[in-house]
Amino acid sequence: MAITSANQLELLQTAEAVAREKMIDPDLVIQAMEESLARAAKSRYGAEMDIRVSIDRKTGRATFTRVRTVVEDDAVENYQAELTAAQAKQYLADPQIGDEVIDEVPPVDLGRIAAQSAKQVILQKVREAERDRQYEEFQDRKGTIINGTVKREEYGNIIVDIGRGEAILRRNEKIGRESYRPNDRIRAYVKDVRRETRGPQIFLSRTDPQFMAELFKMEVPEIYDGIIEIRAVARDPGSRAKIAVISNDGSIDPVGACVGMRGSRVQAVVGELQGEKIDIIPWNEDQATFLVNALQPAEVSKVVIDEEAGKIEVVVPDEQLSLAIGRRGQNVRLASQLTGLDIDILTEAEESQRRQAEFAVRTKLFVEALDLDEFFAQLLVSEGFTNLEEVAYVDVDELLSIEGVDEGTAEELQARARDVIEEQNRKAIEAAKELGVEDSLFAFEGLTPQMIEALAKDGVKSLEDFATCADWELAGGWTTVDGQRVKDDGILEPFDLSLEDAQTLVMTARIQLGWVDPAELEAESEADEAEFDGDEEVGV
């Protein structure tokens, strides 16, 4: 096949037809044609030559050129595609390294094999362009709901025809025991779109919490318009779900708007989710209030939040315990997902018993350590004193505010507490020395003798040992194992050492040992702060 005036125009018509059929840019098809013609020309003129083809976008005329690049004298490796500046002077007035010498060469006649090869190149390029177009199209639809038709089932996974491509609904992304037959209509959430060699892979989900959020957005115009916001969603797919909403307009009830007239809006969502029961909850900035709402329909007596541990204790009346926990722990589990906190449910009786036990332990401490009668020790505990350090080092006015305590009594109390603490420190130091603690650890500021003893019992006996500890090893923390949060006890956790304080102590030890440069640390901290500020500005 020769590129003659008879078929020049046909090139453009073919490119237009292919582009229209595959819904891609015609220029991409022409580029593929140029590449295929260039490859065919190389087989004719020599594979080492740099042959390029340019097709005029208006006339369809194909121009074949040979390109040679000017390189340094000792850098010529391919004499067919490279030449020195001296050699280039016969073609260019002032040749520079990197300049190109371009000569037009006669068009080639494509034999049967070359024509077939050119056709394969064009088809390959068209397929790649089509895949890119599909990826970009569905990437934009990630995080939205898509409608499709079931094509077939493969090992429990559903292959869905979504128009210009196929998507997969995996077995674990189906609600309960959903089953589909070919040609069934299906609605699902586009969870992920991945670019792969065989084309874009589109993964659907019907169990993702955001599927329910998107369904509400479709059913509730106020959510679509941004008047009502969905702040959190938690689901037990096919069984029960909780969704937290807030209104930006004080005159609109967010819960009522989502429920709809006679429950029409929420029922439309429930129907799509195979009868999943949905609790619509008003969002509240106050964590405790929001949690009380999240545990509905159970009534809550009291909420105690431990922000450092990321835990929360909820006290409910005895008869409300089973309702608060829910069947197989479902209600409290969903409330936990919604708030992002671990929730411990206690009955009023259990909480009372625990408080009494704590009261008794603290009372006993003051009776034995400070040689007080039980009544006076109970009085200290009732006033909020929990340990000897608080009694020893608190402002004396706080002790004088207790009924029946005069200045002499307050001074005597503090003196006794300090004597006990000093004796405890002496014993802790002796025990630590017997365990082999080095002077470097004793000299380190921020650790009490009791802390040093606890570290020594765990094998931490030098400043070097301490500097290798992780912050969670000292202060304790939480890890997730099989979907459950598990407590990791810290060596210094009994001393109420926070995670931030543990980080500071470990980093200080590393600086003292010369393992970390304070200047570099400060520079990294400033860079992190700048990055965080930048993320805030763009709304990340």
Side-chain angles (χ1 to χ4, degrees):
M1 183 185 95
I3 305 297
T4 64
S5 58
N7 56 26
Q8 286 174 358
L9 212 55
E10 190 179 334
L11 278 177
L12 296 180
Q13 292 170 349
T14 303
E16 287 285 351
V18 172
R20 199 163 42 245
E21 180 188 347
K22 302 295 184 181
M23 296 187 67
I24 59 177
D25 186 353
D27 196 55
L28 292 174
V29 182
I30 295 177
Q31 288 175 18
M33 289 178 172
E34 290 173 340
E35 186 175 328
S36 64
L37 290 173
R39 184 176 296 186
K42 281 186 178 182
S43 66
R44 167 71 176 79
Y45 288 112
E48 292 184 347
M49 286 193 181
D50 184 1
I51 302 293
R52 302 178 190 178
V53 178
S54 174
I55 297 175
D56 191 293
R57 280 8 179 212
K58 292 181 180 179
T59 65
R61 181 178 183 275
T63 303
F64 290 72
T65 55
R66 175 192 180 187
V67 179
R68 287 175 291 175
T69 305
V70 178
V71 298
E72 294 180 2
D73 293 352
D74 57 351
V76 177
E77 294 180 357
N78 179 2
Y79 290 96
Q80 299 288 355
E82 296 171 340
L83 72 171
T84 64
Q87 293 170 335
K89 283 184 178 179
Q90 57 183 309
Y91 307 103
L92 303 174
D94 183 23
Q96 302 293 324
I97 302 300
D99 287 350
E100 292 180 340
V101 176
I102 301 173
D103 302 315
E104 188 171 342
V105 296
V108 298
D109 291 337
L110 296 185
R112 184 176 59 83
I113 295 175
Q116 190 67 23
S117 174
K119 182 180 177 182
Q120 291 299 324
V121 171
I122 293 170
L123 289 175
Q124 178 65 25
K125 288 292 182 182
V126 168
R127 276 196 293 268
E128 288 176 4
E130 189 177 13
R131 287 171 186 163
D132 288 342
R133 179 197 57 77
Q134 282 184 339
Y135 176 79
E136 296 299 333
E137 177 185 344
F138 289 108
Q139 182 68 16
D140 290 341
R141 299 189 67 176
K142 184 178 176 181
T144 64
I145 289 176
I146 199 168
N147 294 307
T149 306
V150 175
K151 290 189 72 173
R152 63 187 181 277
E153 184 174 349
E154 295 178 354
Y155 308 105
N157 303 322
I158 304 296
I159 307 302
V160 182
D161 183 350
I162 50 176
R164 300 194 190 99
E166 287 185 356
I168 182 169
L169 178 66
R170 287 177 170 166
R171 182 170 41 191
N172 61 335
E173 297 289 351
K174 295 191 292 185
I175 297 174
R177 298 183 179 180
E178 283 183 327
S179 61
Y180 296 96
R181 291 177 297 182
N183 298 321
D184 282 353
R185 297 290 297 168
I186 189 171
R187 181 186 286 182
Y189 177 77
V190 182
K191 188 172 184 178
D192 194 15
V193 181
R194 300 177 195 166
R195 191 193 295 270
E196 296 188 7
T197 52
R198 63 175 183 265
Q201 296 295 297
I202 302 150
F203 297 94
L204 305 179
S205 174
R206 285 176 55 81
T207 61
D208 194 284
Q210 289 305 312
F211 178 49
M212 187 176 75
E214 289 296 315
L215 286 172
F216 269 104
K217 188 182 291 185
M218 294 171 66
E219 295 293 337
V220 184
E222 291 87 348
I223 295 177
Y224 183 83
D225 293 337
I227 299 171
I228 293 173
E229 291 181 37
I230 298 173
R231 289 294 182 88
V233 183
R235 287 183 66 193
D236 191 350
S239 178
R240 192 171 177 186
K242 292 179 183 286
I243 181 168
V245 293
I246 187 172
S247 175
N248 295 320
D249 185 337
S251 64
I252 296 178
D253 172 25
V255 175
C258 292
V259 171
M261 187 72 70
R262 297 181 182 176
S264 59
R265 290 174 173 176
V266 72
Q267 283 306 316
V269 178
V270 169
E272 180 63 44
L273 298 179
Q274 305 293 325
E276 196 169 307
K277 294 181 177 65
I278 301 174
D279 296 334
I280 302 172
I281 296 159
W283 169 275
N284 197 295
E285 293 293 341
D286 180 61
Q287 217 167 31
T289 305
F290 179 41
L291 182 60
V292 170
N293 295 339
L295 282 169
Q296 291 176 2
E299 297 176 7
V300 176
S301 304
K302 186 167 66 173
V303 174
V304 180
I305 298 176
D306 184 349
E307 293 183 355
E308 186 176 312
K311 291 190 65 176
I312 195 163
E313 287 185 350
V314 176
V315 181
V316 299
D318 293 12
E319 68 276 6
Q320 294 281 317
L321 180 62
S322 60
L323 193 61
I325 294 175
R327 186 181 63 178
R328 297 178 183 174
Q330 186 183 65
N331 193 53
V332 68
R333 185 171 65 252
L334 290 174
S336 178
Q337 291 175 18
L338 208 65
T339 58
L341 291 168
D342 276 333
I343 302 172
D344 287 338
I345 303 284
L346 300 175
T347 63
E348 291 177 342
E350 288 172 337
E351 200 240 353
S352 176
Q353 289 174 1
R354 193 185 67 177
R355 289 182 62 187
Q356 288 175 6
E358 289 177 352
F359 191 88
V361 168
R362 289 168 183 168
T363 300
K364 185 180 179 182
L365 169 67
F366 291 143
V367 168
E368 294 178 352
L370 301 180
D371 193 22
L372 303 175
D373 60 53
E374 188 172 354
F375 173 77
F376 198 85
Q378 289 176 346
L379 190 60
L380 282 176
V381 177
S382 300
E383 290 294 328
F385 289 93
T386 60
N387 55 52
L388 294 175
E389 284 76 10
E390 290 178 359
V391 176
Y393 304 112
V394 76
D395 192 285
V396 72
D397 289 339
E398 291 195 31
L399 290 172
L400 292 174
S401 66
I402 301 173
E403 187 177 350
V405 175
D406 56 23
E407 195 166 334
T409 305
E411 289 176 356
E412 176 62 22
L413 266 177
Q414 290 198 314
R416 289 186 188 181
R418 288 168 182 162
D419 288 344
V420 172
I421 291 170
E422 287 175 6
E423 179 62 19
Q424 289 176 344
N425 289 345
R426 184 186 64 78
K427 290 181 178 178
I429 291 171
E430 288 180 358
K433 285 182 177 178
E434 288 180 5
L435 289 169
V437 173
E438 297 181 8
D439 291 341
S440 60
L441 198 57
F442 282 117
F444 184 66
E445 291 186 11
L447 297 175
T448 65
Q450 286 85 357
M451 287 180 175
I452 294 173
E453 182 185 5
L455 288 167
K457 288 178 179 177
D458 208 79
V460 180
K461 300 179 181 180
S462 67
L463 191 60
E464 287 81 358
D465 293 341
F466 183 75
T468 60
C469 291
D471 48 17
W472 59 267
E473 289 181 286
L474 301 175
W478 296 84
T479 54
T480 302
V481 180
D482 297 331
Q484 300 292 324
R485 279 169 65 84
V486 179
K487 183 73 177 69
D488 291 322
D489 294 328
I491 304 170
L492 302 182
E493 192 171 351
F495 303 96
D496 294 327
L497 183 75
S498 69
L499 199 62
E500 290 75 17
D501 289 341
Q503 290 172 347
T504 302
L505 286 172
V506 170
M507 196 54 66
T508 302
R510 291 173 182 174
I511 290 172
Q512 286 187 12
L513 290 167
W515 296 358
V516 176
D517 185 348
E520 289 182 6
L521 196 65
E522 186 176 350
E524 285 179 12
S525 177
E526 289 176 356
D528 289 342
E529 286 180 9
E531 183 178 349
F532 177 75
D533 291 342
D535 287 349
E536 280 194 330
E537 287 174 9
V538 297
V540 172

